[in-house]
Amino acid sequence: MSDSRHQASQPPSDRPREKLLNHGAESLSDTELLAILLRTGSKGIGVIELSHTLIHHFGSLDELLTARPAQLKRFKGLGQAKIAELQAILAICQRVLEHRVKQGNALTSPDSTRQYLQMHFRGKSSEQFACLFLDTRHRVIVLETLFYGTINSAAVYPREILKRALALNASAVILSHNHPSGDPEPSQADIRITQTIKQALELIDIECLDHMIVGRGQIVSLAERGLLT
């Protein structure tokens, strides 16, 4: 049975698109939401079944949307167009969060800042170190990844952070990096480099407001832990 015939045979209350319009997104499962985006399945597999298979294989929508194209191509029913659409969804989410943090104060909208950082590091398999450079009102100027590492380390050079902060005329900085292992707990090396960078920034009157470590679904703030002193 084709997807269109299967959709037509379902009562309106069971059709994902109608459920979304009539009851809102919260009434839909992850499988149903994905089915709306994919629209069609392939020969022998309906869109609901395809959606369920994808989410079951990757474990969550999060992991699915950050999967590499080569991983997605293995699934019958996912061509170049659908893979591009899935990647576009992730990019849209990133830009929405970027707009939110740039419009607001990074310190008075910590949830948006955390979501933005989580989205920035999502799907990264190696350790990366990024800086949120802020203006005098603590609004985001830019988020830049400055250092790239291996699976569990990144060489960080404070002088490069100072150079970028001066070039951007930043007044404050929020440091961030990811732990690809998924555990956001700071290491002693994380604490030491944070203190070194903070002291270096103070010499040129730039504040180091925080260092956020991004794990899988969690962020640890060194400022909240009292580790920036």
Side-chain angles (χ1 to χ4, degrees), residues 7 15 26 30-31 40 46-47 53 65 76 106 108-109 125 130 132 135 143 148 151 172 178 199 205 207 215:
Q7 178 84 344
R15 297 174 195 165
E26 63 276 5
D30 289 351
T31 295
T40 60
V47 67
T53 298
L65 290 177
K76 185 180 179 182
T108 58
S109 56
S125 58
L132 272 170
D135 64 15
L143 171 63
Y148 298 84
I151 189 66
N178 65 320
Q199 290 166 5
D205 293 324
E207 291 182 276

Side-chain angles (χ1 to χ4, degrees), residues 157-167 197 200-201 204 206:
Y157 302 99
R159 67 178 177 273
E160 296 300 324
I161 297 173
L162 270 62
K163 284 168 60 177
R164 286 303 294 152
L166 289 170
I197 295 169
L201 287 168
I204 54 174
I206 295 177

Side-chain angles (χ1 to χ4, degrees), residues 65-86:
L65 290 177
T66 54
R68 295 185 299 276
Q71 295 174 286
L72 298 171
K73 287 177 183 177
R74 302 171 189 166
F75 292 88
K76 185 180 179 182
L78 283 187
Q80 292 286 356
K82 287 181 179 176
I83 291 172
E85 287 169 359
L86 291 174

Side-chain angles (χ1 to χ4, degrees), residues 113 116-122 124 126-134 140 142-149 154-157 160-161 164 168 172-179 193-194 197 201 208 210-214:
T113 301
Y116 183 38
L117 290 174
Q118 283 183 318
M119 186 68 73
H120 175 76
F121 287 111
R122 188 157 287 164
K124 302 293 191 295
S126 61
E127 191 163 311
Q128 300 182 10
F129 192 102
C131 293
L132 272 170
F133 294 100
L134 312 176
V140 174
V142 69
L143 171 63
E144 288 189 357
T145 299
L146 299 181
F147 310 107
Y148 298 84
V156 177
Y157 302 99
E160 296 300 324
I161 297 173
R164 286 303 294 152
L168 293 165
V173 175
I174 293 176
L175 312 174
S176 62
H177 78 280
N178 65 320
H179 281 179
I193 193 64
T194 302
I197 295 169
L201 287 168
C208 179
D210 204 345
H211 185 169
M212 294 185 176
I213 302 175
V214 181

Side-chain angles (χ1 to χ4, degrees), residues 62-63 118 124 179-184 213-219:
D62 185 356
E63 295 295 328
Q118 283 183 318
K124 302 293 191 295
H179 281 179
S181 67
D183 181 3
I213 302 175
V214 181
R216 187 168 288 116
Q218 278 186 301
I219 288 186

